[in-house]
Amino acid sequence: MNKYLQDLIKLSKYDGVISMFEPKIENEKAKLSTFVEVAESIKSKINETYAQIDDVKSKRTKNNIHLAELKSKLDDISRKNNEVTNEKELKALQLEEEIAKEQISFANEEIERLDSIAVAKEEELKELQSRLTEEEESIKEIQIAVDNAIEEINQERNVVSQQRAELLEEFDKKILTFYQKIRRWAKDSAVVPVKNQACYGCFMKINDKTYSEVIKSEEIINCPHCGRILYKEDESTEEA
Ligand SMILES: [Zn+2]
């Protein structure tokens, strides 16, 4: 096989492998980010619940103040009861007393309602905090696994980059420029095998003359349809 063609096949394979490293790393990071997102959403629910508890507590305080006011009003009414001089005044006081008592019972009911909400919210908060702890533990574990996987990918990348650099040391400059021009649009499929007499870049059938030249492998042959560099894959490597 033409030496330049051999070099091109190698270079293209290295480049193909190198392009796959970044998506692999992104894929690893994505595993972690789903867990981080869940943890963030739990945190924001925790903050919401804290705010709701504060709100309930401040409403409860207001009701307590109102209750105290109503009780002192009742005291007032009972004091005035002793000073009543006629039926009309008595009736007015009785009405006032009735209203105040009704308001007291409303305020008490409201406090009871708010207390039960507060209990439920505290329970919710505990639940959320334990879920967050669980999630944060998972994140720690996954973080380690992801870091290890990325470390491994980077090591592989260093090996391949080193091999590529070594190959380039003795690479023909013109052939390299030629390859890079095709690679600019063909990306990782600048050098492609011919299978079933078809170019594996554009998947079009190539004519018998070009095909026989590809089989001979004496020269660098471009696909007549798309311009990619063609080679006849070895049966043994094709299997692999
Ligand atoms: Zn083609």
Side-chain angles (χ1 to χ4, degrees):
M1 191 190 267
N2 179 305
K3 196 231 168 230
Y4 296 137
L5 182 58
Q6 269 179 335
D7 285 352
L8 279 170
I9 294 167
K10 270 191 210 162
L11 179 60
S12 160
K13 283 189 175 160
Y14 290 152
D15 282 341
V17 172
I18 289 168
S19 319
M20 286 313 295
F21 288 130
E22 210 45 55
K24 276 185 191 168
I25 288 175
E26 288 310 312
N27 188 42
E28 288 299 326
K29 287 181 183 166
K31 285 181 197 168
L32 190 63
S33 70
T34 49
F35 280 83
V36 172
E37 272 167 35
V38 171
E40 286 307 313
S41 97
I42 296 173
K43 274 182 204 166
S44 80
K45 274 183 200 155
I46 286 176
N47 287 337
E48 247 171 64
T49 310
Y50 270 126
Q52 287 164 345
I53 290 171
D54 280 350
D55 183 51
V56 167
K57 280 181 182 164
S58 96
K59 279 181 183 158
R60 195 188 190 286
T61 306
K62 276 180 198 157
N63 270 284
N64 268 331
I65 293 168
H66 187 45
L67 205 55
E69 285 166 356
L70 289 168
K71 279 175 182 161
S72 80
K73 193 174 185 183
L74 270 188
D75 290 343
D76 257 10
I77 292 169
S78 73
R79 229 188 347 267
K80 279 181 193 161
N81 250 330
N82 301 327
E83 300 154 11
V84 164
T85 54
N86 60 48
E87 189 74 6
K88 200 183 164 197
E89 273 180 13
L90 185 68
K91 278 205 170 150
L93 267 181
Q94 276 171 344
L95 185 63
E96 229 181 296
E97 188 179 22
E98 228 171 84
I99 291 168
K101 280 181 176 166
E102 216 167 88
Q103 285 176 329
I104 285 172
S105 100
F106 277 145
N108 278 323
E109 273 170 34
E110 183 62 5
I111 286 169
E112 219 173 282
R113 192 184 73 88
L114 290 169
D115 282 349
S116 79
I117 292 174
V119 168
K121 289 286 162 195
E122 295 283 358
E123 204 53 47
E124 222 174 277
L125 191 61
K126 263 191 227 160
E127 173 87 12
L128 286 168
Q129 278 161 338
S130 90
R131 268 179 60 202
L132 182 62
T133 309
E134 233 172 80
E135 209 65 25
E136 281 173 339
E137 272 162 21
S138 304
I139 288 171
K140 267 187 223 159
E141 276 171 37
I142 293 163
Q143 178 80 63
I144 293 167
V146 165
D147 285 348
N148 288 341
I150 291 175
E151 171 69 27
E152 220 168 275
I153 291 168
N154 280 330
Q155 277 172 4
E156 264 177 70
R157 170 150 65 181
N158 288 344
V159 170
V160 180
S161 297
Q162 180 61 31
Q163 287 170 331
R164 185 184 185 274
E166 279 165 17
L167 177 66
L168 282 184
E169 273 171 22
E170 289 171 28
F171 214 90
D172 184 273
K173 290 282 171 294
K174 270 188 193 161
I175 299 286
L176 182 61
T177 311
F178 176 63
Y179 164 76
Q180 282 166 336
K181 272 184 190 160
I182 298 172
R183 191 171 151 72
R184 215 176 289 165
W185 58 267
K187 310 290 176 211
D188 288 332
S189 69
V191 182
V192 290
V194 173
K195 290 180 189 173
N196 303 320
Q197 207 177 325
C199 159
Y200 254 58
C202 68
F203 300 100
M204 285 178 67
K205 203 98 182 162
I206 55 171
N207 61 51
D208 291 345
K209 185 177 167 287
T210 309
Y211 186 51
S212 70
E213 283 171 338
V214 171
I215 292 169
K216 271 190 245 161
S217 302
E218 284 166 1
E219 282 172 76
I220 292 168
I221 308 296
N222 295 85
C223 169
H225 309 291
C226 68
R228 288 179 175 89
I229 300 160
L230 298 175
Y231 67 96
K232 179 75 184 96
E233 203 166 38
D234 223 33
E235 295 305 320
S236 57
T237 47
E238 209 167 334
E239 285 301 310

